[in-house]
Amino acid sequence: MRAIAIDGFGGPEVLRLTDLPRPAPGPGEVLVRVAYAGVNPADWKAREGKLARYFDYRFPFVPGFDLSGTVVEVGRGVEGLTPGERVFGMSRQGQGENGAYAEYCLAWPAMLAPVPPGMSLAEAAGLPTAGATAYGGLVDAGGLKAGQTVLVNGGAGGVGSLAIQIARAAGARAAVTCSARNADYVRSLGAERAIDYASEEVVAAARDWAEGGVDLVLDAVGLGTLLAYATDLVKPGGAFVEIETLISHASETDVAAAAARGVRILSNMVAVTRQPEHLAGLAGLCVQGRIKPAPVEVLPLANAAEAHRRVEDGHVRGKIVLRVDDAEERS
């Protein structure tokens, strides 16, 4: 099978198009013929070895957390999925197995969901990691409730654009940080307030929108840009949720200082073991029509290095997905 693999850690140039043996599903596994593979920040961090604390690599290693495609074969003991079914979900890259940048990929059935009616396979490939991260960060780790206020740092990206919609579906009000050119886009998704991080003082703007601070911050940017202002942004009893794979991690001093003000600083990883529930919740919102997939830009599988460069640059609106299957959409 065709695949993009790496033989060691490095920049985008280490990604190479190659041929690898087609995997076979073992007990409890599902083999998916991949139509599209989503490209996430976690993919380039996996390429650079930054995720070695989470799993062991075996080279050649195929990156890619997100996929959409068709079930080809199921292993012994798998129920509820049948060959020919269109699915989207996550590979087993998080367990150190080969990922989705390949014509065939193994997955756990709990990490797959049927593609909602009316949704293309390309759109579906952009949903799993970004959507489950947003859902887990807001609803699970953050404990989001109806009537609360949410600030999404980085509202126009893959995670942020879905977080806005998840917050609105939960009955919460959302404000976001974004560039001026993305203000209309995030408002079209349901954001009440678009804060231009280049021309506005974010903390002041957020507190003007939500007097006394917001109930919850979801930081989809990382880099520690807002973490230092957590207790200014979040009202007592609220939470600031970091996405751990964005690398910036709160120190014990940060956590203690926030706790003294009644603010919890959390990692989305506190809820990562419940990713199947997050994916199921996301899929349910899609079926109900309450989630509009982020805009997707499709690149050929061979252009994986270009996709990594652009995602690493951090200014992609929506999602980039790689077309793995030349047949593209299959009924």
Side-chain angles (χ1 to χ4, degrees), residues 32 56 62 69 71 111 153 187 238 240 243 261 275:
V32 178
D56 294 325
V62 177
V71 173
M111 298 306 294
N153 188 29
R187 282 193 285 261
F240 185 107
I243 296 172
R261 296 283 300 276
Q275 269 191 336

Side-chain angles (χ1 to χ4, degrees), residues 38-105:
V39 182
N40 295 288
D43 293 350
W44 69 258
K45 288 165 186 172
R47 184 202 74 223
E48 290 191 346
K50 294 182 183 295
L51 303 188
R53 61 181 292 193
Y54 303 113
F55 58 81
D56 294 325
Y57 292 78
R58 293 190 297 276
F59 297 108
F61 182 77
V62 177
F65 280 98
D66 289 357
L67 61 88
S68 67
T70 304
V71 173
V72 174
E73 188 178 351
V74 299
R76 179 167 45 85
V78 172
E79 299 179 354
L81 290 171
T82 57
E85 187 172 1
R86 299 194 334 158
V87 294
F88 74 105
M90 299 182 194
S91 73
R92 294 175 55 198
Q93 181 178 271
Q95 291 76 47
E97 303 297 331
N98 280 340
Y101 293 9
E103 289 183 299
Y104 295 90
C105 181

Side-chain angles (χ1 to χ4, degrees), residues 137-146 148-150 166-168 170 172 215-216:
L138 291 174
V139 178
D140 197 334
L144 181 65
K145 297 179 177 62
Q148 290 187 324
T149 53
V150 178
I166 292 166
R168 295 291 291 173
D215 295 294
L216 177 62

Side-chain angles (χ1 to χ4, degrees), residues 151-156 175-179 193-197 202 221 226:
L151 175 66
V152 179
N153 188 29
V176 307
T177 66
C178 64
S179 66
R193 177 72 163 89
I195 301 171
D196 179 2
Y197 58 79
V202 173
V221 175
L226 286 188

Side-chain angles (χ1 to χ4, degrees), residues 178-272:
C178 64
S179 66
R181 69 183 179 88
N182 285 322
D184 288 342
Y185 169 61
V186 298
R187 282 193 285 261
S188 75
L189 298 176
E192 285 188 12
R193 177 72 163 89
I195 301 171
D196 179 2
Y197 58 79
S199 64
E200 297 186 75
E201 205 288 304
V202 173
V203 175
R207 289 180 66 90
D208 180 65
W209 175 72
E211 187 176 355
V214 298
D215 295 294
L216 177 62
V217 172
L218 180 68
D219 187 2
V221 175
L223 307 177
T225 52
L226 286 188
L227 184 59
Y229 307 103
T231 56
D232 295 319
L233 283 166
V234 183
K235 65 176 63 172
F240 185 107
V241 179
E242 287 194 294
I243 296 172
E244 190 161 334
T245 53
L246 295 178
I247 304 303
S248 173
H249 307 304
S251 68
E252 291 183 7
T253 301
D254 292 327
V255 173
R261 296 283 300 276
V263 174
R264 293 168 296 138
I265 297 180
L266 304 168
S267 162
N268 71 307
M269 297 298 280
V270 302
V272 73

